[in-house]
Amino acid sequence: MAFLVPCPDCGNREAAEFSYGGESNRRPAPGAAAAELARYLFFRRNVAGTQVEWWYHRDGCQRWFLARRDTRSNLIEETYWPEQRAAHRA
Amino acid sequence: MTVLNPLRYFQPWTMWHHQPLRSSYDAVIIGGGVHGLATAYELAKRGMRRVAVLERSYIGSGASGRNTTIIRANYRTPEGVAFYKESLRLYERLSQELDYNLLFSQQGHLTLAHTDRAVNVMVERAAVNRLLGVDSRVIDPREIHELCPELDLSAHPAYPIQAALYHPPGAVIRHDAVVWGYARAAARLGVEIHPATEVTGILADRGRVTGVRTTAGDVSAPVVVAAVAGWSSEVGRMAGVELPILTHVLQAFVTEPLKPFLHVILVSATLHIYVSQTDRGEVLIGAEIEPYTTYSQHSTIGFLEQSAHHTLELLPILAPVKVLRAWAGLCDITPDYSPIMGKTEVDGFFVDCGWGTYGFKAAPVSGVCMAELITTGKTPSLIEPFKLSRFWERRLVSELAAAAVSH
């Protein structure tokens, strides 16, 4: 596979063991305007650079976690659990 | 006595001239791929004289030189079928139009069905295609065998072939030649082609585009078109335009050249591959996009292993054949697998993007429609369903059943 994903539980594993969950974005509040819902559903930043995204260790611990990955090189700089999110928000 | 210098025959020659970048144009097109060049050519044909195509690398270096060259019109939605039907029609006479041999080969396109559901989708696609005048029908294994005797039609593979959607006008073409043909034809009409000129910013004033910032200086232009495929999100951001696009990588490989044996294009959505034989004899195999977004154009061994394995399920005779080379290209995937073409919220800034895995086959009609839109200000009816605002209005054109992997 193309690159390694450091699972916070299991350590470095091939990316093929994981499911990709897409870039992290904030769910709109109930009753949000239609435009805000459309943005949440369809629009993504899709940066050529570092982004925070969801990964699921499908063939391992079967847990969701967050990763900071450089989309140009596929190097994952760090991974952490959702509850550690506040500490990692830049 | 004169000595013949063999190097004389290898002296550099060009089909278009390089000139310094001017400070202003009537239109600037970002991206020297087949879409950008086709748009430039069609603009020049409509009388626009000062058009520049700016390419970060060399022309055709992106998806235009990395696709698997398949052209077809057997889509599923009426909007998609009408659009790609016109593109196919333009491709059929593109060699004459550009006065350049494009090695166009209309050998027919077979989409294989390995499951009941796939057969149902194909029956539906064939009905939509025929209603819109596209030659397309479902055929049984007996007829498939006549078209391609090398296919394994036995019950032995994991997913035996049940039927196929046969699209006789489906074709392959020399993709680089399409790029060069458009570039030469556009240059003859006065279009300037600027390779190695990267756009680093888009200049706008009160919601109107005024030009671009490049590595060779600022250029003013009332019209800027982004035709940059996988890089659309980044270029859109320069103009402050949000796009519903994800950049994925798609891989392909070719085998060593073989005597011509495959006279039809094979596609299998179940096995995630499509196979054709090029004019050089190489068997060309493409796959589906990788599941994660990325801007990295590296090939992976996992892809090679899996695609080779799946190819052998279809064509066991390829078992002793060696792989010659593999490569990857970036795809700008939209939520509904239809393109995004037309105006944006910034006046004068147009996008021609969201081409996912089906951009190459749409190049001629995209050039015509984008040029018509830019010169008349009116969105042609063929691309009206593909406007960017459809995502805000939630009027999506779902082409998933006929676009994903069905090249």
Side-chain angles (χ1 to χ4, degrees), chain B residues 306-388:
Chain B
Q306 194 178 35
S307 300
H309 173 70
H310 286 165
T311 305
L312 293 180
E313 292 268 295
L314 293 182
L315 299 165
I317 61 157
L318 290 180
V321 178
K322 292 182 179 64
V323 171
L324 193 64
R325 62 179 184 277
W327 67 95
L330 300 184
C331 301
D332 38 338
I333 307 284
T334 59
D336 59 358
Y337 286 80
S338 285
I340 301 168
M341 301 174 76
K343 299 175 184 173
T344 63
E345 56 265 36
V346 178
D347 274 349
F349 179 63
F350 299 85
V351 288
D352 174 30
C353 63
W355 285 110
T357 58
Y358 33 85
F360 178 75
K361 54 179 70 62
V365 70
S366 301
V368 168
C369 291
M370 291 304 291
E372 207 174 304
L373 167 62
I374 292 161
T375 51
T376 66
K378 293 195 194 92
T379 304
S381 57
L382 268 184
I383 62 167
E384 178 71 25
F386 304 135
K387 55 189 181 187
L388 173 60

Side-chain angles (χ1 to χ4, degrees), chain B residues 268-345:
Chain B
S268 168
T270 303
L271 298 174
H272 307 303
I273 53 163
Y274 33 99
V275 186
S276 65
Q277 192 171 17
T278 70
D279 289 300
R280 283 189 290 220
E282 299 158 346
V283 181
L284 167 57
I285 294 144
E288 67 171 353
I289 54 170
E290 296 294 327
Y292 49 86
T293 65
T294 186
Y295 285 82
S296 160
Q297 297 190 113
H298 285 286
S299 302
T300 64
I301 192 75
F303 149 78
L304 262 186
E305 282 174 350
Q306 194 178 35
S307 300
H309 173 70
H310 286 165
T311 305
L312 293 180
E313 292 268 295
L314 293 182
L315 299 165
I317 61 157
L318 290 180
V321 178
K322 292 182 179 64
V323 171
L324 193 64
R325 62 179 184 277
W327 67 95
L330 300 184
C331 301
D332 38 338
I333 307 284
T334 59
D336 59 358
Y337 286 80
S338 285
I340 301 168
M341 301 174 76
K343 299 175 184 173
T344 63
E345 56 265 36

Side-chain angles (χ1 to χ4, degrees), chain B residues 46-95:
Chain B
R46 282 161 179 73
M48 205 180 256
R49 279 289 167 260
R50 300 183 334 126
V51 179
V53 177
L54 308 184
E55 165 57 48
R56 175 164 68 175
S57 180
Y58 59 93
I59 67 159
S61 54
S64 298
R66 296 163 188 265
N67 63 81
T68 51
T69 82
I70 298 168
I71 295 159
R72 65 184 175 93
N74 59 349
Y75 278 77
R76 181 167 179 241
T77 65
E79 296 89 342
V81 174
F83 180 73
Y84 291 100
K85 180 188 172 192
E86 177 63 9
S87 199
L88 179 62
R89 192 183 72 83
L90 294 173
Y91 259 124
E92 282 170 349
R93 53 181 198 191
L94 197 61
S95 287

Side-chain angles (χ1 to χ4, degrees), chain B residues 30-167:
Chain B
I30 311 171
V34 69
H35 276 258
L37 293 165
T39 303
Y41 168 70
E42 296 291 343
L43 281 174
K45 247 176 88 174
R46 282 161 179 73
M48 205 180 256
R49 279 289 167 260
R50 300 183 334 126
V51 179
V53 177
L54 308 184
E55 165 57 48
R56 175 164 68 175
S57 180
Y58 59 93
I59 67 159
S61 54
S64 298
R66 296 163 188 265
N67 63 81
T68 51
T69 82
I70 298 168
I71 295 159
R72 65 184 175 93
N74 59 349
Y75 278 77
R76 181 167 179 241
T77 65
E79 296 89 342
V81 174
F83 180 73
Y84 291 100
K85 180 188 172 192
E86 177 63 9
S87 199
L88 179 62
R89 192 183 72 83
L90 294 173
Y91 259 124
E92 282 170 349
R93 53 181 198 191
L94 197 61
S95 287
Q96 288 85 346
E97 167 87 22
L98 302 178
D99 184 26
Y100 200 81
N101 184 2
L102 305 175
L103 304 180
F104 182 65
S105 164
Q106 222 155 11
Q107 46 191 255
H109 182 278
L110 274 184
T111 314
L112 304 170
H114 305 259
T115 63
D116 292 351
R117 270 178 68 186
V119 176
N120 287 342
V121 171
M122 275 165 203
V123 169
E124 191 187 312
R125 268 171 73 182
V128 173
N129 293 167
R130 279 204 304 274
L131 277 171
L132 292 160
V134 169
D135 189 0
S136 175
R137 62 196 162 89
V138 177
I139 62 173
D140 62 14
R142 196 173 37 87
E143 207 174 332
I144 299 172
H145 178 74
E146 280 169 26
L147 285 165
C148 185
E150 292 78 13
L151 259 184
D152 185 353
L153 291 160
S154 70
H156 169 72
Y159 304 102
I161 295 164
Q162 296 187 12
L165 183 67
Y166 181 38
H167 179 44

Side-chain angles (χ1 to χ4, degrees), chain A residues 1-3 20 23 34-35 37-39 41-48 51 53 55 69 71-74, chain B residues 231 233-234 237 242-247 290-296 300-302 335 388 391-392 394 396:
Chain A
M1 197 57 194
F3 54 93
Y20 178 62
E23 68 185 64
L37 282 170
R39 177 175 285 120
L41 283 173
F42 304 125
F43 289 77
R44 297 290 180 269
R45 293 187 66 241
N46 190 34
V47 323
Q51 71 177 19
E53 54 193 19
W55 286 85
R69 178 175 62 110
T71 60
R72 294 163 298 189
S73 62
N74 290 335
Chain B
W231 295 89
S233 296
E234 290 291 336
R237 208 166 358 255
E242 286 178 281
L243 293 168
I245 283 176
L246 292 173
T247 299
E290 296 294 327
Y292 49 86
T293 65
T294 186
Y295 285 82
S296 160
T300 64
I301 192 75
L388 173 60
F391 294 97
W392 298 110
R394 272 177 268 179
L396 272 56

